[in-house]
Amino acid sequence: MTPAARRACEVLERVVASLESAEHRDGQVEMVQHVADAIANRRPLVIQAGTGTGKTLGYLIPVIAAGQTAVVATYTKALQDQLASADLPLLEAALGDDPDFDFSWAVLKGRNNYVCRQRVAEIESAPATLEFANDSTTLQRETMRLVEWTKSTESGDVSDVPFPVTDSAWRKVSLGSDECPGAARCTFGESCFTERARERAATANVIVVNFSLYGLDLQQDREFLPHHDVVVFDEVHELEDVISDTASIVLTPRAIAQAAEAARKAVSSQKVPNALAASASQFDSLLNDHVGTRFRDGLPTDLADVVRGMLAQVELILEAVRALPQESPESLRAKATHERLRGDLGAVLRSSADMVMFVTESRNAPRLTAAPIRIDRTLAPVWDDTVAVLTSATIPPGMPQRLGLDVGSDDVVRVASPFDYARNSLLYIADDLPDPNHPDRAERVHERIRELVAMSDGSALVLFTSRAALNNAVEHLRDDLGTGITLYAQDDMPKKALLEHFRSDERSCLFATRGYFQGVDVPGDSLRLVIVDKVPFPALRDPLLDARRELAGQGSFMTIDVPIAAATLAQAAGRLIRSARDHGVVAVLDSRLVTKRYKDAVLSGIAHMPETSSLDEVERFYLRRIKR
């Protein structure tokens, strides 16, 4: 064992000893050693850490033991909150009295996650008829409740709001990074919640961010994050998509209309802002005609003409704002918004062959996106400047290479889960159900769900790969799963409340879509069955994936689609066993896994589970557990 690994393991022993229910995990020790050596040798590390390894402490402890400054980038803000509320305070308590391991930590989120004091001041000073001219009474009430909350909050963070808050109300009291003029030019710059969070991050040893903010930092030439020696990407299987999103240019008619409104508030002449608003409406109409279209040869003439016209209008608005005799919050916001919009409009017009341009629809609103086919260039500075630790319970084949990391397949370290899957789990693959396009499939799938739920006596997380399949199943199976078994659907209530109901009722079932394939942690008897309706292949008509498939060539299905499906399925299956005492069945209702050549590749992330296609064996599994 190297000196670095030994030191990190000593810290791990101390931390584990401080826990009430101390538990030695061989996989966690192994991970600590690998991460410590990677930091000491200044080399990247890709480590697949099975469920139950304790990977969070597995990477935090070596960082602290080495005295390094690290950014921990997570997939979601929920994972950020988990680190802030549990893991980092635990380490602080265990090591706080030892100056050799003195460290500080901070959580940093994007600007729109914090209250803007300037916006609050404007709301408080403006006449209600002006500020809420087009808003409902409910939205006005929600907004004013947030305004009142800002008087007592220390963080200004949306995660700390102690009552439910809608997106519409939050947008009233917050700003995006493209709207903010910066602390130096804002009346409230010194007391700004975002700037305070950045100041804490600047002096911390461990800074917790999400992938989106890390990607934005790369796009803005490292504007947001302090210099760091180490970066940890947790749940790294999601990194490619998120960085691709942050590196993309997205134009929406709504955002352009909002820019026009910002200009109206800043300049006296309304002629050009009104013209920009009219262009936004025309842009909306044209985009609706192209929804689902990928532009292989640049923008069509009609769209290109509108974009050029909007660019000219934005230039005129910027001239008018710069000519104002005195700066105001409204003029500063208009300037920041239109400078960002000018850059996006120009970039779309200059879009190169390494970008994919397409029109999609989100919440019944069209959007034009220009996305990079590859993100290895975006991430290149990370691999050059920092020690990178990439970790997840599932590392899809070829993923590190697509990210631009120079490692071979054999360089991926795999740390096994401590859980006894051979004894406590079973993988059921339905070999007798119709293929996904068969007209009788839905009815047969519903019947199979009933059979499996009867065997598990509820306690099932039933996951669907499409919204239509979910709605159809809920319609046919609600109140039809057996006496005393409640069916909860993902739209019944907010996610947090839904999971609380599911946890508290051991015989209930939760029906949901891909948003629940990960981030669901329900240990114990409340979850004894995970059903996935079919192999979660990515969408066939995804414009960005289509471009990547073309780049990959003839073998694209095995190099693009299958790894995505394997990682997604492994994440879904990972909801089942969350502690050493858990047990249950993962059921995949897709007979293609029995006959197709991709079976082993798709099941690579759950190959540690015993496999069967016999319903009788599933029933015997549950009966054996009951007898124990």
Side-chain angles (χ1 to χ4, degrees):
M1 188 183 300
T2 65
R6 185 178 301 110
R7 177 177 169 85
C9 286
E10 289 171 357
V11 177
L12 174 63
E13 288 178 7
R14 178 173 172 176
V15 171
V16 171
S18 72
L19 302 175
E20 288 185 10
S21 54
E23 182 180 344
H24 176 85
R25 303 181 188 183
D26 289 337
Q28 191 175 56
V29 173
E30 184 181 351
M31 182 172 180
V32 164
Q33 293 174 358
H34 282 295
V35 175
D37 286 340
I39 294 172
N41 296 325
R42 304 291 301 168
R43 292 182 59 82
L45 173 68
V46 183
I47 184 161
Q48 180 171 291
T51 304
T53 300
K55 63 182 170 68
T56 306
L57 294 184
Y59 59 69
L60 285 175
I61 284 175
V63 166
I64 294 169
Q68 301 287 294
T69 298
V71 168
V72 177
T74 69
Y75 173 45
T76 63
K77 284 176 278 193
L79 288 173
Q80 280 184 277
D81 294 337
Q82 177 185 314
L83 279 160
S85 62
D87 301 299
L88 286 163
L90 166 67
L91 290 173
E92 207 168 32
L95 304 174
D97 60 349
D98 191 335
D100 286 343
F101 302 112
D102 183 36
F103 77 99
S104 60
W105 57 273
V107 176
L108 186 59
K109 300 178 181 178
R111 187 174 293 277
N112 62 347
N113 290 278
Y114 301 96
V115 165
C116 172
R117 290 190 183 276
Q118 175 63 46
R119 283 293 299 129
V120 169
E122 291 171 8
I123 291 170
E124 290 183 312
S125 62
T129 53
L130 178 62
E131 181 60 42
F132 298 111
N134 300 312
D135 298 332
S136 66
T137 303
T138 300
L139 180 55
Q140 293 180 43
R141 187 165 52 248
E142 290 178 351
T143 303
M144 294 312 298
R145 192 178 183 190
L146 281 170
V147 168
E148 187 63 28
W149 171 74
T150 63
K151 298 173 183 177
S152 59
T153 178
E154 290 292 325
S155 67
D157 186 339
V158 64
S159 297
D160 294 336
V161 178
F163 48 84
V165 54
T166 63
D167 289 343
S168 298
W170 186 255
R171 283 196 296 269
K172 285 284 186 180
V173 299
S174 64
L175 288 181
S177 59
D178 55 341
E179 302 171 280
C180 177
R185 309 186 74 177
C186 177
T187 306
F188 296 89
E190 292 186 2
S191 61
C192 172
F193 288 117
T194 303
E195 296 304 321
R196 284 182 177 180
R198 289 187 183 180
E199 289 168 6
R200 290 191 293 271
T203 59
N205 305 106
V206 179
I207 305 102
V208 182
V209 304
N210 60 27
F211 289 171
S212 293
L213 183 57
Y214 201 92
L216 186 61
D217 186 58
L218 291 172
Q219 290 299 112
Q220 299 296 324
D221 298 320
R222 302 301 182 96
E223 175 186 343
F224 303 116
L225 300 179
H227 173 78
H228 45 283
D229 308 297
V230 180
V231 59
V232 178
F233 293 114
D234 196 350
E235 304 295 351
V236 71
H237 61 282
E238 300 284 0
L239 183 64
E240 185 174 14
D241 285 344
V242 177
I243 297 299
S244 181
D245 285 344
T246 60
S248 298
I249 301 157
V250 179
L251 291 177
T252 68
R254 177 183 173 183
I256 295 165
Q258 288 174 334
E261 183 61 27
R264 287 192 185 105
K265 294 178 179 179
V267 299
S268 56
S269 173
Q270 302 293 289
K271 181 178 179 180
V272 181
N274 288 342
L276 181 60
S279 295
S281 179
Q282 185 183 3
F283 188 50
D284 181 71
S285 177
L286 289 173
L287 286 183
N288 275 306
D289 292 338
H290 291 288
V291 168
T293 302
R294 173 183 163 198
F295 304 123
R296 297 174 181 270
D297 301 312
L299 286 177
T301 302
D302 55 355
L303 273 174
D305 288 345
V306 171
V307 172
R308 274 191 288 268
M310 290 190 295
L311 181 58
Q313 290 158 351
V314 167
E315 293 282 13
L316 290 173
I317 289 171
L318 284 171
E319 287 180 15
V321 170
R322 293 191 192 101
L324 291 171
Q326 189 173 359
E327 289 183 340
S328 67
E330 291 80 11
S331 67
L332 290 171
R333 192 174 306 140
K335 182 181 178 183
T337 300
H338 285 80
E339 284 179 342
R340 173 68 178 270
L341 181 56
R342 177 181 60 182
D344 288 348
L345 291 167
V348 164
L349 290 171
R350 296 190 303 272
S351 186
S352 59
D354 59 355
M355 300 287 283
V356 185
M357 200 175 311
F358 53 91
V359 180
T360 55
E361 193 174 53
S362 176
R363 298 180 181 178
N364 297 318
R367 56 175 49 202
L368 174 65
T369 300
I373 298 177
R374 299 172 53 162
I375 62 165
D376 49 350
R377 294 178 188 172
T378 302
L379 288 170
V382 180
W383 318 138
D384 292 340
D385 300 339
T386 55
V387 175
V389 177
L390 285 62
T391 186
S392 177
T394 308
I395 303 291
M399 182 212 69
Q401 292 76 22
R402 290 197 303 276
L403 298 179
L405 197 58
D406 186 18
V407 296
S409 299
D410 294 337
D411 294 328
V412 177
V413 175
R414 290 176 172 80
V415 178
S417 168
F419 300 148
D420 188 352
Y421 287 97
R423 184 180 182 186
N424 294 333
S425 70
L426 186 66
L427 171 63
Y428 167 72
I429 299 175
D431 63 354
D432 59 342
L433 294 178
D435 285 345
N437 294 324
H438 195 282
D440 296 333
R441 174 172 167 79
E443 182 180 351
R444 295 279 301 279
V445 165
H446 298 164
E447 179 57 35
R448 188 57 46 87
I449 291 172
R450 285 192 197 93
E451 293 175 286
L452 290 165
V453 167
M455 293 176 190
S456 67
D457 195 28
S459 309
L461 176 63
V462 187
L463 300 170
F464 297 87
T465 51
S466 75
R467 169 71 64 165
L470 166 68
N471 292 339
N472 192 11
V474 171
E475 179 184 350
H476 286 84
L477 294 175
R478 199 187 286 274
D479 303 321
D480 194 26
L481 289 175
T483 303
I485 296 178
T486 304
L487 189 162
Y488 295 110
Q490 73 176 41
D491 293 330
D492 289 349
M493 59 190 81
K495 185 173 183 178
K496 184 177 180 180
L498 193 61
L499 289 174
E500 284 301 319
H501 278 76
F502 181 51
R503 287 190 189 97
S504 61
D505 183 354
E506 289 188 0
R507 299 190 68 216
S508 66
C509 296
L510 173 54
F511 284 38
T513 54
R514 288 178 183 252
Y516 289 70
F517 277 48
Q518 58 187 21
V520 174
D521 190 7
V522 183
D525 284 340
S526 292
L527 180 51
R528 296 189 296 266
L529 172 65
V530 173
I531 300 175
V532 183
D533 72 330
K534 64 180 180 180
V535 176
F537 287 116
L540 285 175
R541 295 183 179 178
D542 183 301
L544 182 54
L545 278 181
D546 281 345
R548 289 175 177 168
R549 289 173 182 128
E550 290 170 10
L551 190 65
Q554 190 172 5
S556 63
F557 179 70
M558 293 301 293
T559 59
I560 302 292
D561 296 79
V562 168
I564 292 173
T568 307
L569 182 59
Q571 288 294 318
R575 303 310 96 211
L576 181 69
I577 305 293
R578 309 299 297 174
S579 74
R581 295 181 298 277
D582 289 353
H583 71 280
V585 174
V586 171
V588 185
L589 308 185
D590 195 332
S591 60
R592 293 176 297 176
L593 282 177
V594 179
T595 60
K596 299 295 185 180
R597 63 186 178 90
Y598 53 70
K599 173 186 176 180
D600 289 344
V602 167
L603 297 180
S604 60
I606 50 177
H608 50 277
M609 302 177 70
E611 180 188 328
T612 185
S613 289
S614 167
L615 279 173
D616 290 339
E617 190 169 346
V618 173
E619 187 170 28
R620 286 195 295 271
F621 173 89
Y622 282 117
L623 289 173
R624 284 197 302 271
R625 300 299 307 192
I626 292 171
K627 290 177 181 178
R628 291 179 186 175

